[in-house]
């Protein structure tokens, strides 16, 4: 029995293993407890192991790679078409084993421990920002019921809460003032926690050479640069910058048939967090491009004459994504746009 390829269905406690030989015949089916997984694969000769990209997948990829195996992570949506009959852990393991054998299959870039740490900082910060947004929307709605309408700017809400806590608005009842005081303290605590994670991100940005290179691109700051470096583990997974932009969901969605091309808005595939950061950074560049004479600003201003600003922002985000891939893959420094010399 010579096993050449294994599909491993990950779980918290019980793992399913499906192995095939050179003729793609199933020669191994086994159920393993979590503590038995390292010992089982240590006794096997080196082979190709496929796993779905999910929680703990990067940990097990590291463990199995150290044991001499070749590990490939695959997105769960690419495994689903290979599941035969009903879905269960055993069929999932067999489907993973079949999916990783396809020559045209796309795999998830593996991440190092450093990248996972940076990504954890971003995930926690993202959760805190979402909590603050929910809190702000809730208090704005509650105050609106009492005739206090506040603009969408969060700084206006902070000023309004301060005035309410100080008793400037006499029309509000005692209970709503107490609730506003509690919300004011909770909002201040969230602001402080988010600021602490911003400082961590800036420290990570200053100590990472690749982040420093990416951060020189217009529209990419410390948050976007560290998030991109944390997300893109192996640049060889993308043949060119367009594939990287497509992975981020910054290319048109296509539904073509019968030789007729039909393009729609962006596909919005991949990580929404990264795509949002790139587009917001592009919007910031758009606001400062007016009157500038460098090549990039001229291109932006010409496009704004015939396209909606949102379309221009997405196009610039796409361009920045391609530049990022070029810097990551070629290990080069960013060369900014040149301003034409006056005759």
């Amino acid at each position: 029995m010579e096993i050449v390829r294994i599909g491993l269905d990950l779980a918290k406690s019980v793992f399913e293993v499906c192995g095939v030989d050179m003729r793609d015949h199933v020669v191994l089916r086994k159920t393993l407890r979590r503590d038995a997984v390292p010992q089982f694969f240590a006794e096997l000769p080196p082979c190709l192991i496929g796993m779905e990209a999910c929680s703990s997948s990067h940990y097990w990829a590291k463990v199995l790679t150290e044991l001499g195996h070749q590990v490939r992570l695959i997105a769960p949506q690419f495994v689903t078409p290979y599941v035969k009959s009903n879905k269960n852990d055993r069929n999932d393991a067999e489907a993973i084993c079949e999916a990783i054998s396809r020559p045209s299959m796309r795999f998830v870039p593996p991440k190092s421990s450093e990248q996972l740490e940076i990504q954890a900082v971003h995930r926690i910060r993202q959760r805190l920002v979402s909590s603050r947004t929910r809190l702000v929307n809730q208090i704005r709605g509650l105050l609106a019921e009492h005739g206090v309408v506040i603009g969408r700017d969060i700084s206006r809400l902070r000023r309004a809460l301060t005035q309410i806590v100080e008793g400037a608005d006499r029309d509000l009842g005692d209970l709503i003032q107490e609730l506003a005081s509690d919300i004011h303290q909770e909002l201040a605590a969230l602001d402080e926690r988010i600021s602490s994670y911003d400082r961590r991100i800036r420290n990570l940005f200053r100590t990472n050479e690749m982040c420093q290179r990416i951060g020189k691109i217009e529209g990419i700051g410390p948050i976007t640069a560290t998030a991109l470096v944390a997300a893109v583990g192996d640049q060889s997974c993308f043949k060119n910058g367009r594939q990287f932009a497509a992975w981020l969901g910054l290319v048109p969605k296509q539904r073509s048939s019968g030789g007729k091309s039909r393009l729609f808005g962006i596909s919005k595939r991949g990580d929404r967090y990264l795509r949002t950061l790139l587009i917001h950074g592009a919007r910031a560049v758009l606001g400062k491009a007016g009157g500038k004479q460098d090549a990039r600003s001229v291109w932006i201003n010409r496009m704004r004459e015939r396209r909606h600003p949102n379309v221009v922002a997405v196009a610039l985000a796409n361009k920045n994504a391609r530049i990022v891939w070029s810097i990551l893959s070629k290990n080069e420094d960013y060369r900014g746009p040149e301003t034409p010399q006056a005759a």
Side-chain angles (χ1 to χ4, degrees), residues 15-28:
F15 295 66
E16 285 291 338
V17 179
C18 178
V20 299
D21 58 12
M22 297 182 63
R23 297 182 178 180
D24 287 338
H25 295 163
V26 176
V27 294
L28 173 66

Side-chain angles (χ1 to χ4, degrees), residues 60-104:
W60 286 112
K62 179 181 177 181
V63 171
L64 298 178
T65 301
E66 292 175 351
L67 295 176
H69 299 283
Q70 182 183 0
V71 180
R72 290 181 178 176
L73 303 181
I74 183 172
Q77 62 266 27
F78 293 154
V79 177
T80 302
Y82 296 94
V83 177
K84 300 182 181 68
S85 186
N86 298 319
K87 179 184 179 348
N88 53 54
D89 293 344
R90 172 168 288 193
N91 289 342
D92 285 347
E94 183 179 353
I96 295 171
C97 188
E98 176 68 20
I100 63 173
S101 67
R102 301 297 93 192
S104 60

Side-chain angles (χ1 to χ4, degrees), residues 2 56 63 83 104 135 138 146-147 160 199 232 234 253 301 326:
E2 183 178 356
S56 77
V63 171
V83 177
S104 60
L135 180 66
Q138 183 185 49
H146 295 270
R199 289 192 293 270
V232 185
D234 186 5
K253 184 177 182 180
N301 293 326
S326 179

Side-chain angles (χ1 to χ4, degrees), residues 180-221:
S181 178
D182 293 341
I183 293 295
H184 186 264
Q185 296 176 8
E186 185 177 355
L187 181 60
L190 283 173
D191 287 338
E192 178 59 31
R193 293 195 63 187
I194 293 173
S195 298
S196 67
Y197 278 92
D198 289 339
R199 289 192 293 270
R200 290 182 180 179
I201 290 176
R202 286 194 294 269
N203 291 334
L204 292 170
F205 176 78
R206 286 193 292 265
T207 56
N208 191 299
E209 181 183 358
M210 193 58 66
C211 290
Q212 291 281 331
R213 294 180 179 179
I214 297 176
K216 295 179 181 179
I217 303 173
E218 296 83 357
I220 295 181

Side-chain angles (χ1 to χ4, degrees), residues 287-306:
K288 300 180 180 180
K292 295 184 179 180
Q293 297 301 321
D294 59 277
R296 169 171 289 207
S297 298
V298 171
W299 174 79
I300 291 173
N301 293 326
R302 288 178 178 175
M303 182 172 287
R304 292 185 66 175
E305 294 176 357
R306 63 181 190 275

Side-chain angles (χ1 to χ4, degrees), residues 216-218 294-296 323 327 333-339:
K216 295 179 181 179
I217 303 173
E218 296 83 357
D294 59 277
R296 169 171 289 207
I323 296 174
I327 293 174
D333 292 329
Y334 173 64
R335 296 186 299 272
E338 296 181 356
T339 302

